[in-house]
Amino acid sequence: GEFSVHYQPQVDARGNRIVGAEALARWQHPQLGAQSPTEFIKVLEDSGLILEVGTWILDEACGAFAQLIADGLVDPLNFSLCVNISPRQFRQNDFVERVEHSLKQHGLPFSLLKLEITEGIVIQNLEDTIAKMHQLTAMGVSFAMDDFGTGYSSLTHLKRLPVDTLKIDQSFVRDAINDPNDAEIIRAIVAMAHSLQLKVVAEGVERQQQLQFLQSLECHIYQGYLHSRPV
Ligand code: C2E
Ligand code: CA
Ligand code: CA
């Protein structure tokens, strides 16, 4: 009972409307206090415990949104509930069934769910990954490529994978105002996303200036402390 899930809003800056939320795991240790997700997720991944915990996180997030929908606070047909999926989770044989089970159990439309994957997932087993992604997209689930630009970023993979969203990594957003190289990388990612007809979400937006820069490139959807921390 020490794990919990927080949610960070995704905002459309044109009108300041919340269009989605990312589920983020939290671990409050009774003696050591709040633990860094980056660190404990890695331990869960390396030990294999991520399979159990990841299933719990997905289920918890689906339950929370079923409640928000029941309370009339979220429009289920115009919202993305984004859940991070680690490589090992994605590789488990019954991953597709587990996702299906969580959504059905809570009576959620499949289109509500967007799974955030990283390039690490893709590299480990391309054919299996593509097959599972196709099964899930056929049901209505969508995919975002997380931390885009930091990993292997193979354009060949991007072309083959049914992702509909790119998430610009926060390391680029952080320095976009001061570092012309980071600004150019963002410009290139947004231009590529637009020409491939992908949606693009910027992460880690903390300052109004960063948002203005992103909006000047027609990137309007963002997550970051500027609007809200994970809550
Ligand atoms: P991520 O998927 O890239 O998540 C975004 C991280 O950026 C989160 O860190 C979030 O709290 C943080 N963030 C959001 N807005 C801002 C901002 O304006 N400024 C700054 N400096 N940071 C911001 P968090 O929650 O510490 O999570 C770290 C990483 O741990 C995540 O990176 C993700 O890779 C992993 N993680 C978290 N929850 C889960 C989960 O449920 N499953 C899996 N597989 N991984 C998770
Ligand atoms: Ca993420
Ligand atoms: Ca990210």
Side-chain angles (χ1 to χ4, degrees):
E2 292 169 19
F3 286 123
S4 62
V5 184
H6 285 198
Y7 303 90
Q8 185 176 39
Q10 294 184 335
V11 184
D12 186 335
R14 297 162 293 191
N16 216 27
R17 203 166 52 89
I18 297 177
V19 294
E22 178 176 9
L24 292 159
R26 294 291 177 258
W27 179 17
Q28 183 71 27
H29 188 282
Q31 278 86 44
L32 303 173
Q35 299 296 299
S36 151
T38 311
E39 284 174 36
F40 75 74
I41 294 284
K42 185 175 186 317
V43 176
L44 293 172
E45 176 75 4
D46 291 346
S47 64
L49 284 168
I50 193 70
L51 302 186
E52 264 178 86
V53 179
T55 301
W56 177 81
I57 291 168
L58 182 62
D59 217 53
E60 177 73 17
C62 288
F65 274 78
Q67 188 62 54
L68 289 172
I69 290 166
D71 292 344
L73 295 170
V74 164
D75 172 359
L77 300 177
N78 282 303
F79 198 90
S80 296
L81 169 58
C82 304
V83 178
N84 292 287
I85 301 296
S86 78
R88 205 146 163 177
Q89 255 181 298
F90 209 88
R91 281 207 307 275
Q92 62 193 329
N93 293 329
D94 62 347
F95 178 69
V96 173
E97 289 75 19
R98 281 178 192 234
V99 172
E100 195 179 0
H101 179 262
S102 288
L103 286 164
K104 279 195 175 148
Q105 195 188 355
H106 296 285
L108 296 176
F110 282 58
S111 61
L112 183 75
L113 186 65
K114 191 181 285 289
L115 300 177
E116 296 196 359
I117 60 169
T118 54
E119 289 158 308
I121 288 184
V122 180
I123 291 162
Q124 285 171 12
N125 190 343
L126 186 60
E127 297 313 319
D128 177 63
T129 302
I130 293 178
K132 284 187 175 129
M133 288 175 78
H134 279 301
Q135 284 177 47
L136 285 160
T137 47
M139 297 173 187
V141 172
S142 62
F143 288 89
M145 185 64 84
D146 207 355
D147 305 335
F148 190 75
T150 61
Y152 187 58
S153 296
S154 161
L155 298 182
T156 314
H157 291 165
L158 194 59
K159 198 182 71 176
R160 291 192 58 196
L161 296 172
V163 295
D164 76 359
T165 304
L166 298 183
K167 291 190 83 173
I168 303 176
D169 191 67
Q170 50 182 279
S171 59
F172 304 124
V173 174
R174 190 183 312 126
D175 299 325
I177 305 302
N178 308 315
D179 185 335
N181 291 324
D182 285 313
E184 277 313 311
I185 289 170
I186 292 181
R187 205 186 297 279
I189 293 173
V190 174
M192 189 177 67
H194 286 161
S195 59
L196 293 173
Q197 269 141 40
L198 299 171
K199 294 173 215 161
V200 56
V201 177
E203 316 186 305
V205 178
E206 295 182 353
R207 297 163 58 191
Q208 194 61 45
Q209 271 173 301
Q210 293 165 333
L211 183 59
Q212 268 162 12
F213 171 69
L214 289 159
Q215 287 206 273
S216 74
L217 302 176
E218 296 291 314
C219 173
H220 302 286
I221 315 283
Y222 76 98
Q223 257 175 270
Y225 298 167
L226 178 66
H227 181 271
S228 171
R229 289 183 176 254
V231 287

